[in-house]
Amino acid sequence: MMPNRFPRVIATLIATTALALGLSVAAPATAAPFVGAVRSFDAEAVGAAPAACTVVGDATVQVAALAGAPASNRAVRLTDASTSVHTRMTCPDAASAQKSVTFRLLASQMDTGVIVSLGASASDALGVWRFFLSRSGGDLVVKAYNGSAWVTLGTAPGVDPLARWIEVRMDATTAKATIEVDRVRFPTTVRASSGTSLGALMIGSEGTGPVGLNLYIDDLGMASTIPVFRTTVAATAPAGSAIRFPGAVKLADGTVVASYYEAPAHAGTNGVIKLVRSADNGATWSTPALVTDPAHDPRDPKLAVLADGTLLLTYFYTQWGSPNVLHGTYVMRSTDGGSTWSSPTTVSTQMSCACGPVSGGYPLGWAANHGPIVELASGDLLIPALRHVAGGCTPAGHRRAQH
């Protein structure tokens, strides 16, 4: 049974970009991150520009005995302290229809973001693929440029280049690309421009205006072929249904647990929540297990692991009809890694419309959750939630959220 007393659950709107985790996972058959002839920069002159690369602004080889690197380690340092110069380095490679690039990245200051692009040549200022890496707390937000605006691909949780060297990898053809930060992978077809070949890597600051970047790049590898990939299918839906809202966590013993919603349609029909697990880092997966199948529709399951190993699953509960009725957000608890689960418990809130079913109006606007629970050092738990007000969804005291 569900214990009657949780640590205090605080309902609020947290404006975050959730990491999108698909259940059909592509993983490199060879180990990331390094490909091609890797440049360590250790033999290059301190204070000089990296050999065979063009630089703009302050981009030089420097001693980089940082974050566990040996005293002899050297790396390229990009420093942006200018409001008129777009600091960057561009390194050419043989033009090819596909490209694999790997490097390590560490920042002693990262007030602004980092642009990484793959272009046809060193003179290709925009690039075919153009990515933007920026910090959000201790996480890394990844965006792609579509030629006119940045498109958020997702967030890599716990990947913080201020805390340690992180590994960046890009595998691209001229039609599609994947950028990977510390093994968190973001596939995309969002291109900055069209192109028939890839022949240069550019790493630089956000632009001419922003300042506040002190970045180190090390162990740069470039190759004209992409390693062979394998595809592992974690779960499939029966005929007539589809998998939506997937998410995954890793337990203390290394087991990966993934939950998902399975239903005939995105909305309007009753679905179920299922779970699969992998003990070999995603190479093989268990048979899907049913977590909950209530009378109505349990939507958008999210998993979180607490400090004591407890696994929490949240979802919001919708009764489709005329009008639709939203019953609120529920939590289920597992103390055995998701093998068994407690009965659902309602998450109470202090939102203006209080607790209990809400019908009519915007059907998903009251206490609908989207995002896993976050445990604070105090033991309090935060859960992202929405409430309904006239004209949209917003928590009291916060600006209106856009859906």
Side-chain angles (χ1 to χ4, degrees), residues 72-292:
S72 59
N73 188 61
R74 297 180 184 180
V76 177
R77 186 186 68 190
L78 300 179
T79 300
D80 187 352
S82 171
T83 58
S84 60
V85 175
H86 176 200
T87 302
R88 62 194 184 272
M89 79 169 186
T90 304
C91 299
D93 194 52
S96 56
Q98 55 182 246
K99 191 71 66 181
S100 189
V101 175
T102 53
F103 57 90
R104 295 188 193 273
L105 183 150
L106 175 72
S108 58
Q109 183 181 12
M110 196 170 169
D111 301 338
T112 183
V114 179
I115 294 176
V116 182
S117 72
L118 274 173
S121 66
S123 61
D124 183 0
L126 182 62
V128 178
W129 302 101
R130 194 171 185 87
F131 298 104
F132 184 59
L133 310 179
S134 61
R135 295 180 66 248
S136 177
D139 305 331
L140 197 70
V141 180
V142 181
K143 299 180 181 181
Y145 193 64
N146 66 7
S148 59
W150 291 103
V151 177
T152 299
L153 301 182
T155 299
V159 178
D160 187 358
L162 287 184
R164 65 181 188 277
W165 290 95
I166 67 171
E167 299 171 348
V168 180
R169 178 179 187 132
M170 292 186 294
D171 293 304
T173 68
T174 55
K176 59 184 179 180
T178 295
I179 183 167
E180 176 181 319
V181 287
D182 267 11
R183 311 298 177 93
V184 182
R185 305 182 69 244
F186 302 92
T188 185
T189 56
V190 176
R191 296 189 304 173
S193 65
S194 60
T196 58
S197 65
L198 301 170
L201 169 72
M202 189 280 290
I203 304 174
S205 66
E206 186 173 346
T208 57
V211 296
L213 181 69
N214 201 33
L215 182 76
Y216 293 86
I217 299 126
D218 203 359
D219 299 326
L220 173 62
M222 300 177 71
S224 296
T225 57
I226 297 174
V228 176
F229 285 80
R230 67 179 188 269
T231 298
T232 301
V233 177
T236 57
S241 288
I243 289 173
R244 296 175 174 85
F245 313 128
V249 294
K250 180 174 282 190
L251 306 181
D253 65 0
T255 300
V256 178
V257 179
S259 62
Y260 59 91
Y261 170 79
E262 182 182 284
H266 175 77
T269 61
N270 293 338
V272 299
I273 294 175
K274 291 184 177 181
L275 181 146
V276 291
R277 62 180 60 245
S278 174
D280 53 13
N281 207 31
T284 59
W285 293 85
S286 67
T287 300
L290 182 67
V291 176
T292 185

Side-chain angles (χ1 to χ4, degrees), residues 14 16 18 249 302-304 314 369-374 382-384:
I14 302 177
T16 59
V249 294
K302 291 291 181 287
L303 292 170
T314 55
N369 70 290
H370 181 69
I373 283 176
V374 175
L382 300 182
I383 181 170

Side-chain angles (χ1 to χ4, degrees), residues 11-14 316 326 328-329 347-356 358 360-370 383-403:
T12 186
L13 178 69
I14 302 177
F316 64 95
L326 189 72
T329 296
V347 177
S348 62
T349 76
Q350 297 178 3
M351 294 180 177
S352 63
C353 45
C355 301
V358 174
Y362 181 72
L364 302 183
W366 179 84
N369 70 290
H370 181 69
I383 181 170
L386 300 175
R387 71 175 174 90
H388 173 65
V389 296
C393 300
T394 180
H398 286 68
R399 65 185 182 182
R400 189 175 310 283
Q402 299 296 319
H403 293 265

